[in-house]
Structures are given as C-alpha cells and as structure tokens.
Amino acid sequence: YPIDCRLPGSKGTAPICQDPLAQDFGHMSVQCPAAQAVLTGNYHNPHPDDAMEDLFNEIADTWTRTNKTPISTIITRQDWQAYWIKADERTSSSASGLHFGHCKAATSSKYLSHYRAAKTTVA
C-alpha cells in the first residue's frame, strides 16, 4: 500500500515517514528495492528501532510463510457476501450506530454487495 505521511493525524511522525526510511521507501513503497529487501529479510535499517525491526521481521516471516505468494487485496462481491451473510447482525460496527445487520441485509442485493465490496477494497 502507498504510505502517505501527509494524512491528517499522522503528522509524519511514524519512523517510516522520517529519513532515512522515507528516502528508502518513498510514498509508493510497494515496488521499491527497500520493500523487496524487507520481504526477503535483507533490509538493513540504518537507524534501527525495536518497533520497526519487529515489523520488518514480521513482514519477512509472513512473506516466507505464504510461500512468497502475493495476497490479493481485492474483495469481490462474492467474498463480501460470503463473509457478511454469517455475521451476527446485532454486533455494533462503529460509533456511527450502524451495526452488522446493515451489511448483512446488503448481501441480498448484488448491486449493494458489489458497491460495499468495491468501497472496502478502495479503503
């Protein structure tokens, strides 16, 4: 995913938003050499910090355990429907007051399901 250190609330304080990591990864870090080195466990952080080291190690471990197969981040209408049809509709999902029942009800419409899946994928 792209990293946008300019987002409200982030204030660019995350280590990945600070040099030298910001220079190594940039805003579109998915295809950069540093990101590939993290996946293989070969990235050497010039200013190591325990949290970032733990994160990089976990990323490399996950990449190895998934047999180096990229994981799709696209949620299809069918994926969305299969998940939400099983949800307990009494569960509150946010401070907005919406509950899982709203999502579950949308599973009966292929149009609403497609919309919600696309919106979730983009988010």
Side-chain angles (χ1 to χ4, degrees):
Y1 293 105
I3 299 167
D4 191 345
C5 297
R6 300 161 298 170
L7 290 173
S10 74
K11 296 184 179 75
T13 58
I16 197 85
C17 296
Q18 306 295 315
D19 287 335
L21 295 179
Q23 288 179 345
D24 286 354
F25 290 92
H27 289 294
M28 300 298 287
S29 62
V30 178
Q31 298 297 327
C32 71
Q36 297 303 310
V38 168
L39 290 176
T40 60
N42 295 316
Y43 180 75
H44 299 291
N45 186 350
H47 297 290
D49 120 344
D50 290 342
M52 288 306 295
E53 290 302 307
D54 288 347
L55 178 62
F56 290 156
N57 290 335
E58 194 61 36
I59 290 169
D61 183 56
T62 300
W63 182 245
T64 301
R65 286 187 287 127
T66 58
N67 295 317
K68 302 177 182 170
T69 303
I71 299 169
S72 175
T73 57
I74 297 171
I75 300 169
T76 66
R77 174 179 56 87
Q78 295 84 354
D79 294 336
W80 197 86
Q81 287 175 317
Y83 176 82
W84 284 106
I85 198 74
K86 299 174 189 170
D88 180 353
E89 62 186 84
R90 296 170 293 177
T91 304
S92 175
S93 61
S94 68
S96 69
L98 293 177
H99 52 81
F100 285 5
H102 290 96
C103 295
K104 189 170 181 137
T107 62
S108 62
S109 166
K110 71 178 182 179
Y111 301 108
L112 288 175
S113 293
H114 178 78
Y115 167 75
R116 296 296 297 255
K119 185 177 173 184
T120 303
T121 296
V122 170

